[in-house]
Amino acid sequence: MEEELMSLIKVWVYAIISISYCYYTSTRIKSGVFRLLSVLPVCVLFLVLPLFVSSVHFSGSTAFFLSWLANFKLILFCFDQGPLFPLPSNLFRFVCFTCFPIKLQQNPKPQKQLPKWVFAVKLAFFGVLLHIYEYKQYMSPTVLLVLYSLHIYLEYEILLAPLKVLLSISLWCDLEPHFNEPYLSTSLQDFWGRRWNLMVPAILRPTIYLPVRRMAGRKMNSDQALFLGVFASFLVSGVVHELIFFYFTRESLTGEVTLFFVLHGVCTAAEGAAKRTRLVRRWKVSQMVSQLLTVGFVVLTGGWLFFPQLTRSGMIERLADEAFLFIDFVKHKFFYLCRNQSLKS
């Protein structure tokens, strides 16, 4: 664990130095192709950095933060767009908004906030979930599929929610939430656009969806251009997830996860087109039924295309093992500090 932490620190030192270069040097270059050329070496480095750590959590978070989001933000920054434009007021803010999956909250709307104890319940349930894996040989594939889906969601939220709070305090600003209770989604559009991992649609919209829709709109009607924009966004998301899976497993790509996102792109676009028809607008479905159909579709297609590569490589088990290892590491350090304090006194 200590060796892996040192590797992670080195990776993030390289990342911060690279982003500092972008802040002090690239900003002096006029926006456009020449600024992009100055930033491209940093983008290439960010694609390589996850390979310097072997932990699933460390390589996965580095890939998500740097190889995907930071690279897309820097590309937008080259054309005076995205969360890095206008230029943040100082280097610290520039580094934070580049490196981390955060977005400044624009015109905060009063939302129905869940009680604080809900997060504690999720944390406790995640702890129980890790122990349940010890009995997975007695569970049916359907039960395991549900557990894997819960694991991915809970781990993401438990890791990202404290990060958002910490950065919000450090930056003295309100930040957008990462998740909005995705298990309450009433449609695929609702799930992918307004509830699940919200930093991803926030960065795919200006980098992929809007440019593709704008270009397609010159030769197609608005519905076709919209369909193509949605499809392109999900296709890019699938390719990037495929790359992240490679960082996880270090095995050859299979295309399954790309196909998962392509399928959801087609279904999401078709769902949006269907909702605009007169027949579907008249057809009322209860909220509970919509939620069951939506979440059920995501979980079932995930079991078909998203999870197989992870289970074959043993990544789910590695996630659980690393969580226990981290807990033991913190306990060891905590007891070591307490013992030293007691000896000094």
Side-chain angles (χ1 to χ4, degrees):
M1 175 62 79
E2 290 180 354
E3 236 176 79
E4 195 68 11
L5 281 172
M6 288 305 299
S7 298
L8 182 69
I9 290 169
K10 288 177 183 176
V11 163
W12 281 89
V13 167
Y14 295 147
I16 291 170
I17 291 171
S18 302
I19 293 166
S20 301
Y21 153 78
C22 294
Y23 183 77
Y24 287 114
T25 305
S26 297
T27 51
R28 300 177 184 275
I29 302 172
K30 187 178 179 182
S31 63
V33 175
F34 289 108
R35 186 187 289 180
L36 177 62
L37 290 174
S38 73
V39 165
L40 279 179
V42 174
C43 295
V44 172
L45 176 65
F46 284 179
L47 290 172
V48 175
L49 285 179
L51 298 173
F52 288 88
V53 284
S54 57
S55 159
V56 174
H57 288 89
F58 293 164
S59 61
S61 58
T62 302
F64 178 52
F65 291 1
L66 299 179
S67 304
W68 187 355
L69 296 186
N71 273 348
F72 277 39
K73 289 175 186 178
L74 287 172
I75 291 169
L76 288 172
F77 157 74
C78 292
F79 299 95
D80 285 344
Q81 296 181 44
L84 301 178
F85 181 79
L87 187 69
S89 56
N90 55 58
L91 176 61
F92 177 71
R93 292 177 71 89
F94 187 81
V95 168
C96 288
F97 280 104
T98 304
C99 282
F100 299 111
I102 56 174
K103 180 186 175 186
L104 198 62
Q105 195 166 32
Q106 304 289 341
N107 304 319
K109 299 176 184 177
Q111 293 183 346
K112 187 178 178 182
Q113 296 285 335
L114 289 174
K116 298 267 193 303
W117 55 263
V118 172
F119 181 78
V121 171
K122 291 177 182 178
L123 187 62
F125 186 78
F126 181 68
V128 172
L129 182 63
L130 293 177
H131 287 283
I132 289 176
Y133 283 139
E134 296 175 11
Y135 307 97
K136 71 174 188 174
Q137 65 268 27
Y138 306 112
M139 299 178 193
S140 68
T142 304
V143 172
L144 279 174
L145 176 59
V146 173
L147 291 180
Y148 292 158
S149 303
L150 286 171
H151 185 147
I152 296 296
Y153 162 58
L154 290 172
E155 183 148 349
Y156 262 125
E157 178 145 23
I158 288 166
L159 291 174
L160 293 178
L163 177 66
K164 172 187 172 276
V165 172
L166 180 62
L167 290 172
S168 184
I169 294 169
S170 303
L171 297 168
W172 290 84
C173 61
D174 292 323
L175 300 173
E176 295 280 356
H178 294 104
F179 291 90
N180 182 22
E181 313 307 326
Y183 47 83
L184 299 178
S185 302
T186 55
S187 67
L188 290 176
Q189 288 178 308
D190 188 33
F191 181 86
W192 292 114
R194 293 182 286 272
R195 292 186 180 275
W196 179 264
N197 205 1
L198 297 176
M199 296 303 104
V200 171
I203 205 68
L204 285 175
R205 175 175 286 273
T207 52
I208 307 298
Y209 172 76
L210 291 177
V212 169
R213 185 177 178 183
R214 190 162 46 244
M215 287 187 290
R218 296 170 187 167
K219 296 187 178 181
M220 303 176 177
N221 63 44
S222 59
D223 286 345
Q224 291 172 332
L226 187 149
F227 182 94
L228 195 59
V230 171
F231 178 80
S233 300
F234 275 88
L235 176 61
V236 170
S237 180
V239 171
V240 177
H241 275 85
E242 198 84 45
L243 178 63
I244 292 174
F245 274 35
F246 169 73
Y247 292 130
F248 279 149
T249 65
R250 310 292 163 94
E251 297 175 359
S252 58
L253 307 179
T254 64
E256 289 167 301
V257 69
T258 301
L259 186 56
F260 170 81
F261 282 97
V262 166
L263 173 64
H264 276 260
V266 172
C267 292
T268 302
E271 179 190 79
K275 284 181 177 179
R276 292 190 291 275
T277 63
R278 187 176 301 175
L279 176 64
V280 174
R281 282 203 299 266
R282 291 177 179 174
W283 187 28
K284 299 295 181 184
V285 180
S286 72
Q287 184 173 336
M288 182 175 291
V289 171
S290 297
Q291 289 170 346
L292 287 172
L293 290 173
T294 302
V295 176
F297 181 78
V298 173
V299 172
L300 288 174
T301 53
W304 175 33
L305 294 168
F306 189 87
F307 288 109
Q309 189 177 355
L310 300 182
T311 52
R312 285 196 303 268
S313 63
M315 203 209 76
I316 300 290
E317 288 79 5
R318 285 179 62 197
L319 283 170
D321 291 342
E322 285 184 10
F324 284 124
L325 184 63
F326 179 74
I327 292 168
D328 290 340
F329 177 77
V330 172
K331 281 182 182 177
H332 175 75
K333 290 296 181 183
F334 176 76
F335 289 130
Y336 178 78
L337 289 172
C338 289
R339 188 178 64 181
N340 281 352
Q341 287 295 326
S342 61
L343 288 174
K344 286 179 182 178
S345 58

